[in-house]
Amino acid sequence: MSDKKNRRVERARQRERKQLLQKLVIATLLVVAVAAGVVMMINSKSTTKDSAELYKNQPMIGQADAPVKIVEFGDFKCPACKRFTIRDYPQIKKELIDTGIASFYFVNFPFLGSDSTTAGLAVESVFAQKPAAFWDYYKAIYDAQGDERTNWATTDKLIEIAEQTNIAVDVNRLRQDIEKETQMQQVEDDLALAKKYRITSTPTLLVNGEKIKFEDFDDIKQAVLKARDEQKAKDEAKK
Ligand code: CA
């Protein structure tokens, strides 16, 4: 073969190698892009915390289709929960729940003492008997809250609170339900939820599934209105 021919063959080979390399690069990029897409899909699934499990079988007040869902994780023995229920909750009810902006859920996170669980059993029993009576009983227990360091949330005390509040439940049945721990599964389910959402203190609020930091009602309102706007934008995008 002449030198000229040799060079031509060599150039042709180089061209082929270059094309093959280009094809390989494109194929690799495609594989990487698909893999990245899959990872993003998995991530977006696992970070979507605002799932139905958070609200299932929980006491709720407000409109079920409100754009924002607030979840309180609370312990009836926790003084900060009492403060929240007496000071902030009425404003939440008036400005956010009654206006249709938010619905409000309560989940037990009884961690302060064994009588936290007794109180949890009591509210779950009232909820099972008469869901509508839940919120009056919830407030009444916080109103009657004793010293955090004592085991004040006894069955007798919880029955006394139910009687004094005149909630529309059969108190004999309520006593039986507390003593026989009829609703223990509900309390345990709540605890599992608290663990899953990494709740470490009370009261903790989730706004559309996201934990928020708050000092007072204004912080809560701001978070709720922001969540409402985000939800609105999401709904618009779907149209
Ligand atoms: Ca519950």
Side-chain angles (χ1 to χ4, degrees), residues 117 121 125 176-185:
T117 303
L121 282 168
S125 302
Q176 266 189 16
D177 284 346
I178 300 171
E179 285 171 350
K180 290 184 178 163
E181 303 184 346
T182 315
Q183 299 298 324
M184 190 53 105
Q185 190 58 53

Side-chain angles (χ1 to χ4, degrees), residues 139-193:
K139 183 176 180 297
I141 300 177
Y142 278 125
D143 278 338
Q145 190 183 71
D147 189 320
E148 192 187 341
R149 292 160 298 183
T150 64
N151 286 337
W152 60 267
T154 59
T155 304
D156 283 345
K157 181 69 186 172
L158 292 158
I159 291 295
E160 186 192 307
I161 296 167
E163 282 170 343
Q164 282 172 354
T165 317
N166 250 331
I167 50 167
V169 294
D170 177 341
V171 283
N172 291 326
R173 204 178 126 196
L174 176 60
R175 178 181 286 278
Q176 266 189 16
D177 284 346
I178 300 171
E179 285 171 350
K180 290 184 178 163
E181 303 184 346
T182 315
Q183 299 298 324
M184 190 53 105
Q185 190 58 53
Q186 296 298 325
V187 177
E188 281 173 2
D189 288 351
D190 283 8
L191 270 173
L193 212 51

Side-chain angles (χ1 to χ4, degrees), residues 182-214:
T182 315
Q183 299 298 324
M184 190 53 105
Q185 190 58 53
Q186 296 298 325
V187 177
E188 281 173 2
D189 288 351
D190 283 8
L191 270 173
L193 212 51
K195 195 176 168 196
K196 188 166 181 184
Y197 282 78
R198 298 196 175 95
I199 307 300
T200 53
S201 62
T202 51
T204 291
L205 294 186
L206 302 188
V207 170
N208 279 356
E210 294 292 332
K211 235 182 260 184
I212 64 157
K213 281 197 181 116
F214 69 96

Side-chain angles (χ1 to χ4, degrees), residues 15 19 50 94 152 178 221:
R15 250 199 321 275
Q19 279 169 355
D50 190 16
K94 188 173 164 230
W152 60 267
I178 300 171
K221 187 178 175 181

Side-chain angles (χ1 to χ4, degrees), residues 56-59 106-108 124 127 186-187 189-190:
K56 203 179 157 212
N57 297 331
Q58 303 297 358
F106 177 81
V107 179
N108 285 292
E124 290 291 354
F127 180 61
Q186 296 298 325
V187 177
D189 288 351
D190 283 8

